[in-house]
Amino acid sequence: MTFGTILVSFLIGLGVLLLFMMGFILLRTLFFSPKQKKVKPREVVHIDGKSVAERLGLAVQYKTVSFHDPEKFDRNAFTGLHRLFQTLYPQVHNQLKREVINDYSLLYTWEGQNPDLKPIMLISHLDVVPADTGEDSGWTYPPFSGEVAEGYVWGRGTLDIKNGVVGVMEAVEYLLKQGFQPERTVYLGFGHDEEVGGANGAVAIVELLKSRGVEIGSLLDEGGNVMVGFLPGIEQPVGVVGISEKGYLSLRLTVEVEGGHSSMPEQETAIGILSRAIALLEADKIPPHLEVVEFLMGYLGSALPFYQRMLFANTWLFGGILKNQLEKSNVMNASIRTTTAPTIFNAGVKDNVLPSKAEAVVNLRILPGDDLRSVYEMVLKRIGDERVKVKPLEGETLEGDSGWDPSPVADTESAYFLRTSRLIKEVFQGSLVAPYLVLGGTDARHYASVTDNAFRFTPVEIDKEDLKGVHGVNERLSIENCEKMVGFYVAYIQEMSSLPVEVDAPPAEEGMHVAEREEEELLEEIDEALEESPEPEPVDEDDDAEEDEAEED
Ligand SMILES: [Zn+2]
């Protein structure tokens, strides 16, 4: 054999191998993420959006701001808001059991017809973050005005998350007036301190439920929305339903050395040592994992342009490229790794004195797959300097006030999830639905001990611009959204509270677990069960009619 023939056979072999690989990549791309099924539009009840917006505006006017400093807490704002609900929602007030938890949080119980079924629960929070009320704060309408103008209701809490509280109250008030009686017990839980951790609100509500032996079938909290422009390349709005949220860890880094005069500094100073530690943490990031994003793309892949779909369908080959691409976006970066953010840095008091102590705080948000211990060890390893003491910001243990692990992942094959996702598509026509990871914190994480199914979704359609209003300036919600939101909650409560007992059945030996059944088959069964229990007909109703009825009652 000449050198030439060897080369030719080698090239042919290489060509065949390449062709084979391309075929494999192509096949994986084509079969990646089946198209989401289209659903028929659903006619939901129309409670006049403008009047909902006005009532939400009234709720916004109560400055239920959470502060870490208890001195600043305005108790009258919270009790005022309670009274407002009493006035606006008399049926809820009179017909549901209402308990005030730790003076400011609310728990409503709507007894179901069948106490053997697991209850459902909808939660939100009454508190909001502060807002700058100054003239040049940038708000078009003052943040606590609750002004209804230009097609929106404006103010702090219109997106986070007094809209959720008012939306749910509106829906229950409506259903009560219609004479609807839920099969399953429905709990409504509104904490008053979510923005500062939820220790006195959600945590106390959960403790109470636990003491009563309550196990929640499915929980709905804030966290996701119907997002327009969720991902570049996907044109349809995407209803993102949070099924887990990242963990949290705040660490205090301390360096203590002998101080001294700045005219004769040591080789290394407290500030220098601490700065290097922080620089090392920023340079050597905690390694990314693609699982969360891959899972998401399993739902959305078919809507991606071909090139992107090919990358996600073939992470075995393109994982590295993907990680590099995703890292460039702060949101995607936070979705693929535990993030490290230095948030406080303190040292020194005088320009000619070397400080004996330097301190910094680093806040880490833990991706499912990592945990408190592994993250803590990675931090120590990166710093690699015993002079830097690394401790939890509060308390002695990693788990506690300064840290918690990522929350458990809810079951996306449960009937609760399938039903919720179908309902989203029915109400928000043309949208896709995908489960996702909530990057911030919500009260839902406290409910892990009473439910396996904590979903985080608020039924409003918003874009990235709207999201800037959350904890920012010009938070607002459109009147159209106000109307759809209530319609969704009405349908949600009707359906979820009527789900048959089978959906709560533990996985049985005979392959009865929902995960092993076809989605369609399961939904059909549920439909049949639902048809047996008549639902109130959706009707159009304006605000005046509502008031008339209230008077009659
Ligand atoms: Zn919130």
Side-chain angles (χ1 to χ4, degrees), residues 125 160-161 194-195 222:
H125 56 88
D160 183 12
I161 183 83
E194 191 270 353
E195 299 291 359
E222 63 174 335

Side-chain angles (χ1 to χ4, degrees), residues 15-78:
V16 169
L17 193 71
L18 271 177
L19 268 178
F20 179 74
M21 222 166 98
M22 276 161 64
F24 183 68
I25 292 169
L26 206 67
L27 273 179
R28 281 190 66 98
T29 309
L30 289 176
F31 286 100
F32 180 63
S33 172
K35 270 217 167 82
Q36 292 198 10
K37 289 199 181 76
K38 283 222 168 75
V39 298
K40 282 195 219 110
R42 182 187 181 113
E43 199 42 39
V44 289
V45 294
H46 296 288
I47 313 252
D48 175 50
K50 182 136 187 282
S51 66
V52 174
E54 279 160 5
R55 289 188 285 270
L56 174 54
L58 291 177
V60 167
Q61 289 171 10
Y62 292 86
K63 295 183 187 173
T64 51
V65 179
S66 265
F67 297 99
H68 283 281
D69 177 4
E71 296 272 292
K72 292 184 178 164
F73 185 84
D74 179 0
R75 63 184 310 278
N76 292 332
F78 286 87

Side-chain angles (χ1 to χ4, degrees), residues 2 23-24 75-77 96 139 163 167 204 216 244 261 297 310 314 333 335 341 355 371 393 412 427:
T2 64
F24 183 68
R75 63 184 310 278
N76 292 332
L96 269 53
W139 283 81
N163 57 326
I216 305 293
S244 177
H261 200 279
M297 290 309 165
M310 184 179 73
N314 294 282
N333 182 51
S335 306
D371 58 38
L393 178 59
T412 50
V427 177

Side-chain angles (χ1 to χ4, degrees), residues 486-522:
V486 178
F488 179 94
Y489 280 130
V490 168
Y492 179 90
I493 294 169
Q494 283 178 332
E495 279 206 27
M496 293 296 157
S497 70
S498 312
L499 287 179
V501 66
E502 288 77 27
V503 305
D504 293 325
E509 319 77 59
E510 308 281 314
M512 284 297 287
H513 184 37
V514 289
E516 290 162 22
R517 290 201 257 156
E518 284 296 307
E519 176 180 338
E520 277 305 299
E521 186 192 328
L522 182 72

